[in-house]
Amino acid sequence: MTAEDIRKRLRDLENKEKAKILQGFFKTGPGEYGEGDLFLGIPVPRLRRVSKECDAMAIGETEALLKSAVHEERLLALLILIRKYNGEDESGKKGIYSFYLKNMRRINNWDLVDLSAPNVVGDYLLNRSRKPLYDLARSSALWERRVAIVATIRFIREGQFEDTLGISEILLRDKEDLIQKAVGWMLREVGKRDSSVEETFLQKHYTQMPRTMLRYAIERFLASKREGYMKGRI
């Protein structure tokens, strides 16, 4: 199956009404984070089903999809990459991880990052040095910084919180809303496993955090405690 075969298949699944809604939801207007992104209006579960038919697709064909201006083509490329990654030995996983890093500028919307970063970057680095994530966290590119923090959910699921906290410190004063939300989300995920770890971090840093980041981090707290954090009384 080639990239062109896939494109034809996706055009048959196009839903123009849903595409119009997604164009607005993903902020594709001039100056917005998703500027220029194009949508076909195909739901993710349907794309997952298509991805299962693409296990034999060559990596070059997957790269062609990833270079597309069409959001669903890039998303499908990532779904295919994740399936390929999961079926590879260590050498193959390294190749897909390297391919992912090389093509990161194509992974340029929050859902693309959130789908793929834990399953490729986070998984590959689980038993390796996490330095690449700290390098990404200091990047000027919004999506590279989001990859850095969201990839750590793979570590959180294993009860490893140190890198989430370390990268959160780097991103503590980030001005981008999508980074603030991602950091708050990851801190909340830490808190689900160990509330004392999250609260120790928050008590040290919450007065310096953007309000959006803090709201996301304390979302599961009791109302009285949320109020205390938001009003600086903790």
Side-chain angles (χ1 to χ4, degrees), residues 18-29 32-34 37 39 71 109-111 178 181:
K18 187 175 178 77
K20 186 176 180 180
I21 294 170
L22 292 174
Q23 293 282 159
F25 181 75
F26 282 96
K27 310 295 184 186
T28 61
E32 295 181 310
Y33 66 76
D37 213 350
F39 285 81
H71 191 93
N109 218 314
W110 60 264
D111 64 322
L178 287 169
K181 290 177 178 178

Side-chain angles (χ1 to χ4, degrees), residues 86-196:
N86 289 336
E88 290 283 359
D89 59 16
E90 285 304 303
S91 176
K93 289 180 189 297
K94 180 180 180 180
I96 291 175
Y97 166 78
S98 298
F99 173 87
Y100 185 99
L101 295 185
K102 177 184 174 184
N103 288 279
M104 281 184 62
R105 67 190 182 91
R106 307 290 182 178
I107 305 166
N108 56 356
N109 218 314
W110 60 264
D111 64 322
L112 304 181
V113 170
D114 297 357
L115 165 79
S116 61
N119 291 302
V120 177
V121 180
D123 188 83
Y124 184 74
L125 297 178
L126 182 61
N127 297 307
R128 295 176 173 86
S129 167
R130 279 71 185 281
K131 183 182 180 300
L133 295 184
Y134 289 84
D135 294 338
L136 291 174
R138 295 182 175 93
S139 170
S140 61
L142 162 64
W143 303 117
E144 292 187 3
R145 300 199 303 279
R146 187 161 174 121
V147 166
I149 187 63
V150 173
T152 69
I153 197 171
R154 181 67 182 87
F155 312 152
I156 293 170
R157 290 169 181 158
E158 300 296 326
Q160 301 175 21
F161 310 134
E162 180 180 353
D163 296 293
T164 301
L165 303 181
I167 292 169
S168 294
E169 285 188 329
I170 293 172
L171 300 174
L172 202 63
R173 296 177 181 83
D174 200 293
K175 298 186 185 308
E176 291 286 353
D177 178 74
L178 287 169
I179 300 301
Q180 295 172 16
K181 290 177 178 178
V183 172
W185 168 29
M186 290 303 106
L187 292 173
R188 187 172 73 240
E189 290 297 321
V190 169
K192 288 180 183 178
R193 278 81 175 176
D194 193 326
S195 59
S196 66

